[in-house]
């Protein structure tokens, strides 16, 4: 009981941390012309992932501390299945992708993703909050808690749908507002260069999904999928 309470409080603390970062560091403190354009901060994968983490940690903590005592057992199972499935299929892979993509481009050529003038706008502390701690927190959540993941195929499809929606969002912004979300895209002038790059990023995201799915099985044991549960019930009936 005490251990479960501590874990719930840790999750609530992480939710408050993400809320603080989003409200203070991103909305009140950090000012940049890019954020004043169409879609504001909602056009970057980093901000969207921070929001997903905020909703996840606060939602899960409130459910564990309060709502689970008010809801029926069947509803609690559905809530856990939804939140755990979202974490394993979208939230964790997206957070790790932010870290991998940002730092890979940064060390290759920082002008592509984080020009030097950004250091004057966004302090390095906030930069690490956005692009380093995001992935570390996701890994700690994965290792510490045993989640009820979706089956590998269903989670893979959901992760792919998320990637497709964000790619469509990037092109929609360009179509409506006439600019690319990331400076790198202005250098990809040859035909299909942008599509090849985005295809590579999506492939990395799917690879990260596969790796974190395997890591979860490694730390918590292979999960029994809903398909195997149904087949076992059929055998018992027979």
């Amino acid at each position: 009981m005490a251990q479960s309470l501590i874990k719930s409080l840790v999750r609530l603390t992480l939710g408050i941390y993400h809320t603080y970062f989003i409200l203070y560091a991103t909305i009140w403190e950090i000012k940049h012309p890019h954020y004043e354009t169409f879609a504001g901060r909602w056009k970057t994968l980093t901000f969207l992932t921070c929001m997903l983490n905020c909703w996840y940690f606060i939602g899960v903590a409130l459910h564990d501390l309060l709502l689970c005592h008010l809801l029926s057992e069947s509803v609690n199972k559905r809530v856990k299945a939804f939140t755990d499935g979202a974490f394993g299929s979208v939230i964790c892979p997206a957070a790790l992708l932010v870290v991998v993509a940002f730092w890979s481009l940064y060390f290759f050529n920082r002008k592509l993703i984080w020009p030097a003038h950004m250091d004057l706008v966004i302090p390095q502390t906030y930069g690490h909050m956005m692009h380093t701690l995001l992935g570390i927190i996701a890994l700690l959540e994965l290792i510490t808690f045993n989640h009820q993941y979706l089956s590998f195929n269903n989670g893979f499809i959901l992760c792919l749908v998320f990637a497709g929606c964000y790619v469509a969002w990037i092109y929609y912004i360009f179509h409506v507002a006439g600019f690319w979300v990331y400076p790198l895209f202005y250098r990809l002038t040859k035909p299909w260069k942008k599509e090849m790059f985005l295809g590579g990023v999506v492939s990395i995201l799917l690879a990260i999904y596969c790796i974190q799915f395997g890591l979860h099985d490694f730390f918590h044991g292979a999960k029994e999928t809903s398909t195997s549960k149904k087949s076992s019930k059929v055998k018992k009936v027979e």
Side-chain angles (χ1 to χ4, degrees):
M1 181 67 179
Q3 185 178 8
S4 176
L5 177 61
I6 292 173
K7 288 182 177 180
S8 298
L9 291 175
V10 169
R11 280 174 157 174
L12 181 60
T13 302
L14 292 173
I16 295 172
Y17 158 79
H18 281 93
T19 303
Y20 160 80
F21 167 73
I22 291 169
L23 293 179
Y24 179 75
T26 306
I27 296 178
W28 297 329
E29 182 71 14
I30 300 174
K31 305 296 181 182
H32 191 272
H34 189 59
Y35 297 148
E36 306 300 325
T37 56
F38 178 79
R41 293 167 174 82
W42 294 91
K43 52 182 169 281
T44 64
L45 181 62
T46 300
F47 182 80
L48 293 174
T49 305
C50 283
M51 288 298 301
L52 289 174
N53 275 268
C54 178
W55 295 335
Y56 171 77
F57 283 112
I58 290 181
V60 170
L62 290 178
H63 175 263
D64 293 345
L65 292 171
L66 179 63
L67 296 179
C68 66
H69 304 291
L70 304 175
L71 302 175
S72 64
E73 183 179 356
S74 61
V75 174
N76 282 324
K77 288 182 177 179
R78 291 177 183 175
V79 171
K80 179 174 174 55
F82 174 79
T83 54
D84 286 358
F87 176 80
S89 303
V90 175
I91 298 174
C92 183
L96 295 176
L97 176 66
V98 168
V99 176
V100 171
F102 176 83
W103 289 110
S104 296
L105 289 171
Y106 184 92
F107 287 116
F108 176 73
N109 184 355
R110 67 171 297 177
K111 293 180 181 179
L112 299 176
I113 192 71
W114 194 266
H117 73 269
M118 292 294 290
D119 292 337
L120 303 176
V121 179
I122 303 178
Q124 290 187 356
T125 303
Y126 296 151
H128 283 294
M129 289 171 69
M130 288 190 291
H131 305 114
T132 305
L133 288 178
L134 200 62
I136 294 175
I137 290 172
L139 280 178
L140 290 176
E141 167 74 12
L142 182 150
I143 295 171
T144 306
F145 294 91
N146 186 4
H147 300 82
Q148 183 183 331
Y149 274 18
L150 299 175
S151 67
F152 178 84
N153 290 339
N154 289 341
F156 187 91
I157 292 172
L158 184 57
C159 185
L160 184 61
V161 169
F162 170 77
C165 289
Y166 184 67
V167 170
W169 178 231
I170 290 175
Y171 277 95
Y172 176 77
I173 292 173
F174 178 76
H175 175 73
V176 172
F179 66 88
W180 293 109
V181 175
Y182 302 102
L184 168 64
F185 282 31
Y186 290 101
R187 300 198 177 196
L188 303 176
T189 56
K190 294 183 179 180
W192 300 106
K193 282 286 185 177
K194 296 180 183 67
E195 288 73 17
M196 292 173 62
F197 174 79
L198 288 171
V201 173
V202 172
S203 299
I204 294 173
L205 174 65
L206 296 177
I208 290 174
Y209 165 79
C210 297
I211 293 171
Q212 63 90 34
F213 191 94
L215 283 175
H216 185 270
D217 283 355
F218 175 78
F219 285 106
H220 304 289
K223 67 183 284 295
E224 184 180 10
T225 63
S226 58
T227 304
S228 62
K229 289 181 181 178
K230 290 180 181 179
S231 61
S232 62
K233 288 182 181 179
V234 172
K235 290 181 180 179
K236 288 181 180 179
V237 173
E238 292 176 349

